[in-house]
Amino acid sequence: MNKPRAALLAIAVAAGLTLAGCNRAPSPEGASAPGAATPAGETADQFIARVNAELRAMQPEVSAAQWLSSTYITDDSQLLAAKYNERYLAQLNSWIEQARRFEGQQMSAETARAINLLKLGASMPPPRNPEHLAELTRIASKMEGTYGAGQYCTGEGDTRRCRQLGALEDVLRTSRDYDAQLDAWQGWHTIAQPMRTDYTRFVELVNEGARDLGFADAGEAWRSGYDMPAAELAAETDRLWGQVKPLYEQLHCYTRARMEARYPGRGTVDGGLLPAHLMGNMWQQDWGNLWDVLQPYPNAGDLDITGALEKNYQAALNERMVRENALIDSDRRADVAQAAQLDNAKRMNERAQDFYVSLGMPALPPSYWQKSQFIKPRDRNVVCHASAWDMSVSIDGQPDVRTKMCTRANEEDFTTIYHELGHVYYYLAYNGRPPLFQNGAHDGFHEAIGDTIVLAMTPQYLQSIGLVGEQTQTQESLVNSQMRMALAKVAFMPFGLMIDRWRWGVFDGSITPQNYNAAWWSLKAQYQGVAPATARGEEFFDAGAKYHVPGNTPYTRYFLSHVLQFQFYKALCDASGHTGPLYECSFYGNKAAGERFWAMLEKGSSQPWQQTLRELTGGEQMDAAPVLEYFAPLQTWLSRQNEGRSCGWTAPAAVQTATPTASR
């Protein structure tokens, strides 16, 4: 994902216990098979032990079916994924129903937590009605397949040309031609239109499942998984957003001035909004691709990571081509280029692995290098959205963990690899926990691990691995390095909020199918200050052009992770003995920081996140203060740059949505 590229298992059809088990052992003797009758006289502790055993037995099949449906998109693979998900969700319903008999009974705190997680684990709450459950899993697999196979085609006959997401993203990343970017942006968004009817029915079915579990709707079920009352989550995220919003507004104001200069008369949309198709990213969630437009000081510090990666790839490709016959045909040339891309992607993964290993963490299992999808295959459609996978089995005594990407030689994908390996190392760390505790302390923790490492990729670290030139610290180079990070981190935060604000409204009915698109763009204007350059009526379904909507992956986790990663980073910098400004810290190679980090990862979801956070940072509250501490020099600089400018923006009349509550 793009950043914040992929969730725990990017395939949200995985109902939700996140299927994050490793090194699965066979079910212990005497454990009942999935669907078996409830043992007479079973205690709550025995029940949870049985559920964990049955999970160990089920998860490998479900994980394999989902991997297949994401890496070989066919009708057959979608059917298999749907059927395995249906079976899994039916079993989840059975476990939840069985757990009801223990309500009000005395039990260990660990068992009580496991029962609660069992109920809250499903991001796709399963209806009890078997026909509706089967329909839900079919729709979920179909939407993910539609997204993965999506392409934008133009022309007819011999002039017909089709481009998938990667090629269209390249246009936004590298072209500065207004019309070419608009065409690529609009083109990708056409792939979502066929999903609209399916998504409407999907919402009805997951809401039915949520009500069967005792929630008002699926949004309330999602908000209940944070060790706090569901009604408090919206207020908590608003509080955190309130801390960082002034910084974002300054970044927006600066960016708007640069865009107006780059595209005179077309650099803004009415009301001071930024044009969606010009932001270098299909969803405007990361503005790093606009570095050539937004770089404060072009001659202060070499931070062209994409250029260095592309240069390395081209050198390796040329070397391979030289070894080949100069007269090889076009198919063989394509094979050589594919091999060079694969080698380059593996080298990028090896570089990311090196950071984790430098902290004292283990090297990735050999199977990781054999079974991961590193690049886009030439022979089939795949879901290119980056994701990390725990296949819930062991190979030669080591967990089968993987990543799935269509890696390209650019900075965005390079940092995405560091992010995805954060998930993988979380899997490895909590591997010894029972399956019900094999998850993040909350879902925002899982997304924050790799990005904490990204924060430690300082210019000095990048110089040490040969990706940037010699770094001389000046005020100008400091502003450049801070801007580079802010375009990824600060620019993302309002996007991280608005997706679930939209879905919470969809789930509770305050956003109806008749105004899906209007509400989507109203929230994007309100939070991000961006807008489409052309009208987007209800014939479109622009929310579906973002993987996590058809993939049904909750998104508030990504916003929370962008707060938590700075808290983790500050704590690890302190553990490493760093003194001086926070933004100068890289704990690469520091075993003390690595031990603190690994100790947190090992806990999984076995205890409330507040306790896990306290053990690492000393506090139990999520807090954006470290974000502001990190970016203090940039915020001061932006304020000076924006003096005399009319900052802020005017959003169109909002589509009203209700404030989420926790009614039962």
Side-chain angles (χ1 to χ4, degrees):
M1 131 187 115
N2 303 338
K3 294 176 295 189
R5 317 46 60 194
L8 196 46
L9 277 184
I11 30 128
V13 288
L17 290 172
T18 61
L19 305 180
C22 307
N23 198 17
R24 298 302 190 199
S27 298
E29 186 175 351
S32 59
T38 303
E42 186 177 51
T43 66
D45 290 346
Q46 290 170 336
F47 166 69
I48 287 300
R50 175 167 61 84
V51 169
N52 278 319
E54 292 176 357
L55 269 172
R56 288 190 182 97
M58 290 190 73
Q59 286 175 321
E61 295 178 349
V62 182
S63 298
Q66 292 169 337
W67 175 265
L68 187 66
S69 71
S70 290
T71 57
Y72 290 81
I73 299 176
T74 67
D75 292 342
D76 293 335
S77 65
Q78 289 181 35
L79 174 63
L80 288 174
K83 285 300 181 183
Y84 276 106
N85 283 322
E86 180 183 345
R87 177 182 174 219
Y88 173 80
L89 289 171
Q91 180 62 79
L92 178 60
N93 267 336
S94 175
W95 287 327
I96 293 171
E97 188 61 33
Q98 292 171 42
R100 296 182 192 278
R101 69 189 192 275
F102 301 112
E103 292 177 358
Q105 293 187 15
Q106 291 294 319
M107 65 187 74
S108 68
E110 181 177 283
T111 293
R113 180 168 182 80
I115 289 176
N116 190 51
L117 291 174
L118 183 67
K119 180 178 178 180
L120 296 174
S123 62
M124 192 168 74
R128 292 179 188 169
N129 182 312
E131 293 180 359
H132 289 179
L133 176 57
E135 183 184 5
L136 175 62
T137 57
R138 284 196 304 271
I139 291 175
S141 293
K142 178 184 176 184
M143 287 194 301
E144 187 174 15
T146 299
Y147 186 96
Q151 56 183 359
Y152 169 49
C153 299
T154 55
E156 299 292 340
D158 293 342
T159 64
R160 183 172 174 80
R161 179 193 181 200
C162 294
R163 291 175 289 173
Q164 291 192 310
L165 177 58
L168 297 169
E169 285 186 302
D170 280 345
V171 175
L172 302 186
R173 179 181 295 114
T174 61
S175 175
R176 295 297 171 255
D177 181 289
Y178 183 97
D179 294 325
Q181 292 177 87
L182 181 60
D183 175 68
W185 184 88
Q186 290 177 336
W188 176 249
H189 283 70
T190 63
I191 69 101
Q193 290 174 265
M195 301 179 195
R196 188 182 180 110
T197 300
D198 282 337
Y199 189 76
T200 301
R201 178 59 177 158
F202 177 86
V203 169
E204 295 172 352
L205 293 169
V206 293
N207 272 344
E208 178 184 331
R211 289 191 294 271
D212 287 344
L213 293 175
F215 299 103
D217 56 67
E220 184 190 277
W222 286 6
R223 296 189 297 276
S224 297
Y226 289 91
D227 292 308
M228 63 173 67
E232 293 181 8
L233 183 64
E236 178 69 356
T237 53
D238 282 340
R239 179 186 66 80
L240 295 169
W241 172 233
Q243 287 183 275
V244 297
K245 185 179 179 181
L247 173 58
Y248 178 80
E249 289 175 335
Q250 290 292 325
L251 181 64
H252 183 284
C253 189
Y254 167 81
T255 300
R256 186 174 65 197
R258 288 293 183 104
M259 297 301 284
E260 288 173 340
R262 180 65 181 79
Y263 302 95
R266 298 193 292 182
T268 58
V269 180
D270 289 348
L273 301 161
L274 297 171
H277 70 287
L278 296 181
M279 301 311 297
N281 176 274
M282 194 64 73
W283 310 279
Q284 310 84 55
Q285 68 184 56
D286 183 323
W287 302 352
N289 291 326
L290 295 181
W291 184 245
D292 58 309
V293 178
L294 301 179
Q295 183 179 8
Y297 299 105
N299 298 315
D302 171 21
L303 294 175
D304 184 12
I305 298 170
T306 295
L309 291 168
E310 179 64 24
K311 181 179 179 181
N312 291 343
Y313 164 68
Q314 289 296 336
L317 175 60
N318 291 339
E319 182 180 341
R320 282 179 171 271
M321 286 294 187
V322 167
R323 293 200 303 263
E324 293 283 336
N325 188 314
L327 299 179
I328 59 175
D329 59 30
S330 57
D331 284 345
R332 179 56 186 155
R333 285 182 176 274
D335 290 340
V336 172
Q338 187 84 346
Q341 289 174 15
L342 179 59
D343 285 349
N344 189 65
K346 286 186 174 181
R347 283 194 298 272
M348 291 165 69
N349 275 263
E350 288 166 353
R351 174 52 64 194
Q353 174 191 236
D354 172 69
F355 200 120
Y356 290 89
V357 172
S358 81
L359 300 177
M361 299 183 189
L364 296 169
S367 61
Y368 175 85
W369 305 101
Q370 300 159 4
K371 293 181 173 292
S372 290
Q373 176 194 294
F374 293 107
I375 61 174
K376 187 182 186 306
R378 294 174 58 206
D379 61 345
R380 62 187 187 271
N381 286 325
V382 300
V383 177
C384 276
H385 183 88
S387 53
W389 294 65
D390 183 345
M391 302 304 292
S392 308
V393 295
S394 63
I395 298 176
D396 296 330
Q398 296 192 66
D400 181 0
V401 290
R402 311 175 186 177
T403 54
K404 175 184 62 62
M405 283 186 66
C406 298
T407 311
R408 293 169 177 256
N410 59 59
E411 178 181 1
E412 187 174 1
D413 282 11
F414 186 58
T415 55
T416 294
I417 293 169
Y418 282 71
H419 170 91
E420 296 305 337
L421 289 192
H423 293 303
V424 170
Y425 276 97
Y426 217 158
Y427 301 153
L428 296 176
Y430 59 52
N431 174 254
R433 298 282 175 184
L436 284 171
F437 292 154
Q438 291 185 2
N439 205 337
H442 68 51
D443 53 13
F445 276 65
H446 231 300
E447 299 302 331
I449 304 308
D451 282 351
T452 301
I453 303 297
V454 172
L455 288 172
M457 295 168 64
T458 60
Q460 288 68 34
Y461 166 77
L462 295 170
Q463 178 186 341
S464 74
I465 62 174
L467 280 184
V468 300
E470 184 175 353
Q471 300 295 301
T472 302
Q473 184 71 289
T474 65
Q475 182 62 25
E476 289 77 10
S477 65
L478 170 60
V479 170
N480 271 2
S481 64
Q482 291 242 301
M483 179 65 76
R484 169 183 159 271
M485 196 65 78
L487 294 178
K489 304 298 185 183
V490 179
F492 173 82
M493 287 186 168
F495 181 78
L497 271 184
M498 60 81 44
I499 286 191
D500 277 357
R501 288 296 199 272
W502 181 81
R503 282 191 292 196
W504 293 348
V506 168
F507 289 141
D508 70 21
S510 57
I511 295 175
T512 66
Q514 290 70 38
N515 65 359
Y516 274 175
N517 225 43
W520 175 259
W521 285 108
S522 175
L523 287 166
K524 285 184 74 68
Q526 176 186 342
Y527 284 99
Q528 291 182 273
V530 302
T534 57
R536 306 293 294 179
E538 292 303 326
E539 69 273 21
F540 300 107
F541 180 51
D542 291 332
K546 176 62 179 170
Y547 170 79
H548 300 74
V549 174
N552 193 50
T553 303
Y555 215 81
T556 300
R557 61 181 64 177
Y558 297 107
F559 172 77
L560 295 176
S561 80
H562 276 65
V563 173
L564 286 168
Q565 64 190 251
F566 284 87
Q567 290 183 267
F568 296 169
Y569 174 66
K570 181 175 175 63
L572 295 176
C573 288
D574 291 343
S576 73
H578 173 74
T579 57
L582 182 59
Y583 53 80
E584 290 182 351
C585 169
S586 179
F587 45 79
Y588 175 77
N590 190 280
K591 299 299 192 292
E595 288 176 7
R596 289 284 298 277
F597 213 15
W598 189 260
M600 184 187 82
L601 301 182
E602 283 183 317
K603 297 294 175 56
S605 57
S606 63
Q607 61 189 24
W609 65 262
Q610 293 90 340
Q611 182 178 343
T612 301
L613 183 65
R614 183 181 69 245
E615 291 170 1
L616 180 66
T617 69
E620 293 189 353
Q621 186 178 50
M622 292 180 284
D623 182 17
V627 179
L628 302 180
E629 178 184 350
Y630 181 95
F631 287 113
L634 179 65
Q635 187 163 15
T636 299
W637 183 87
L638 286 171
S639 297
R640 292 171 181 165
Q641 293 294 308
N642 292 329
E643 286 180 2
R645 292 173 180 161
S646 178
C647 294
W649 60 86
T650 303
V655 174
Q656 296 300 314
T657 61
T659 300
T661 59
S663 58
R664 291 293 178 100

